[in-house]
Amino acid sequence: MFYYGQLVIGPAGSGKTSYCNILQEGSFKRNIQVVNLDPAAEYIPYKCAIDIRELICLSDVMEEFEYGPNGGLVYCMEYLLQNWDWMQDQLNNIAQDDYVLFDCPGQIELYSHIDMMRKLTQLLVNSGFSISSVYLVDINFIEDDAKFLSGLLMALSASMTLELPAFTVLSKCDLMKDKKKLKRYTKLHKFNEESEYINQDEFSKTYKSFTSGISELVTSFGIGRLLCLDTTDDESIDNILGEIDYAIQFGDNLEPDDKLYDQAEQQL
Ligand SMILES: Nc1nc2c(ncn2[C@@H]2O[C@H](COP(=O)(O)OP(=O)(O)OP(=O)(O)O)[C@@H](O)[C@H]2O)c(=O)[nH]1
Ligand SMILES: [Mg+2]
């Protein structure tokens, strides 16, 4: 069995749940299922195919064990890993051609400090998933260079631990009216034809204040795949999906649409 999808990650409030919802509501040439992996979620706007809260929810854990929110969350994710059979049973109900988004919790410690999310992604890969991580960085990170770089380093740290094809997406671009400013940040992330990574000279010129070591680190791990998400513009979503489809090879094994094939043949 082969499944395709995205692990949607990023700090609290970066727009993960909204992104999943927009994708499910829109028409992007695929049937999108969303799995809620956030045991602390209070409101979920999308139709949930699988909801971790049916297995365990943060408020119950905090009450029963008198844990704080972060300790409680770690407990919930550990519980999910220990009860993976439950998840596997639910995943078996998902059709093979469906495209699955995993809406993850926002606590970045889960990715960078402990290897829980990496274990989870390995279980998904073992279940036949071809997935990429999609790390959302809020547009307010481009307020200044230092903040932006810290956002990229956080993305790098989280994405690297997951060992998946990784994409960094600048979310809430609809809020950025200054398109010139947006371009200044995103132009750094155009693929360099030769190396496939971002243009290091361009990056160093812009971030003169940072050591070349940091620039090298950021540019050489491919988190330069910085994509813009403007949820009011379907083209930006198509662009993100297109890049990810290529990386996870979504669509490669789909049967040709007979109707379209017949139409094309008639036109010949
Ligand atoms: N303008 C704008 N606001 C957005 C967008 N995406 C999310 N928001 C707002 O940002 C806030 C957080 O969005 P969520 O989708 O809940 O973010 P999240 O990453 O799932 O947050 P946690 O689950 O708490 O980690 C909400 O108030 C959303 O309405 C967007 O594309 N544009
Ligand atoms: Mg959320």
Side-chain angles (χ1 to χ4, degrees), residues 11-18 38 103 105-106 172 174-175 231:
S14 54
K16 302 177 291 297
T17 300
S18 308
D38 185 357
D103 182 11
K172 310 186 191 178
D174 55 299
L175 296 176
T231 47

Side-chain angles (χ1 to χ4, degrees), residues 28-48:
F28 298 104
K29 299 192 197 117
R30 64 202 74 202
N31 189 33
I32 292 183
Q33 303 280 5
V34 190
V35 175
N36 173 43
L37 286 183
D38 185 357
E42 284 182 3
Y43 169 68
I44 290 185
Y46 48 75
K47 191 168 152 273
C48 229

Side-chain angles (χ1 to χ4, degrees), residues 24-258:
Q24 193 182 60
E25 278 186 340
S27 45
F28 298 104
K29 299 192 197 117
R30 64 202 74 202
N31 189 33
I32 292 183
Q33 303 280 5
V34 190
V35 175
N36 173 43
L37 286 183
D38 185 357
E42 284 182 3
Y43 169 68
I44 290 185
Y46 48 75
K47 191 168 152 273
C48 229
I50 306 173
D51 189 347
I52 187 178
R53 296 173 305 173
E54 286 175 12
L55 176 72
I56 190 158
C57 98
L58 180 65
S59 52
D60 291 349
V61 168
M62 286 172 65
E63 196 178 314
E64 192 175 336
F65 300 107
E66 297 184 348
Y67 285 162
N70 291 319
L73 185 67
V74 171
Y75 181 94
C76 290
M77 299 317 279
E78 249 167 19
Y79 190 84
L80 172 65
L81 292 177
Q82 283 160 7
N83 292 276
W84 192 254
D85 288 353
W86 174 86
M87 177 59 87
Q88 192 60 62
D89 282 349
Q90 311 267 328
L91 288 171
N92 290 341
N93 294 327
I94 287 180
Q96 200 168 356
D97 288 343
D98 287 349
Y99 188 93
V100 188
L101 302 176
F102 294 89
D103 182 11
C104 294
Q107 273 78 353
I108 273 322
E109 299 84 352
L110 284 180
Y111 310 87
S112 50
H113 295 35
I114 40 185
D115 64 355
M116 221 164 267
M117 293 307 280
R118 190 167 61 84
K119 284 185 181 152
L120 187 144
T121 55
Q122 277 170 354
L123 286 166
L124 288 174
V125 170
N126 293 343
S127 307
F129 269 91
S130 176
I131 44 173
S132 71
S133 66
V134 175
Y135 186 104
L136 301 192
V137 178
D138 195 302
I139 189 78
N140 74 41
F141 271 78
I142 68 173
E143 268 169 20
D144 67 68
D145 288 354
K147 192 169 171 184
F148 183 59
L149 192 64
S150 87
L152 290 185
L153 286 170
M154 281 201 297
L156 174 67
S157 145
S159 307
M160 271 178 68
T161 58
L162 296 177
E163 298 175 6
L164 294 173
F167 290 85
T168 312
V169 169
L170 206 51
S171 64
K172 310 186 191 178
C173 287
D174 55 299
L175 296 176
M176 174 49 72
K177 300 299 170 216
D178 183 353
K179 298 294 173 201
K180 249 189 180 167
K181 186 170 179 185
L182 192 58
K183 212 168 163 197
R184 172 173 173 253
Y185 284 89
T186 52
K187 78 170 183 193
L188 301 169
H189 301 275
K190 288 253 153 65
F191 283 87
N192 173 333
E193 276 172 25
E194 280 166 22
S195 71
E196 271 218 335
Y197 295 128
I198 59 180
N199 186 328
Q200 204 164 321
D201 288 343
E202 193 72 60
F203 192 93
S204 309
K205 257 190 266 161
T206 307
Y207 296 108
K208 278 194 208 88
S209 51
F210 297 104
T211 64
S212 58
I214 292 181
S215 312
E216 205 180 313
L217 183 72
V218 172
T219 52
S220 60
F221 276 99
I223 55 163
R225 296 172 182 207
L226 189 77
L227 302 166
C228 289
L229 169 65
D230 177 344
T231 47
T232 61
D233 174 13
D234 278 0
E235 211 181 307
S236 86
I237 300 174
D238 278 331
N239 182 38
I240 292 171
L241 289 175
E243 295 270 354
I244 296 171
D245 287 352
Y246 184 72
I248 63 174
Q249 298 179 321
F250 175 70
D252 283 8
N253 67 338
L254 293 181
E255 293 293 326
D257 184 327
D258 285 346

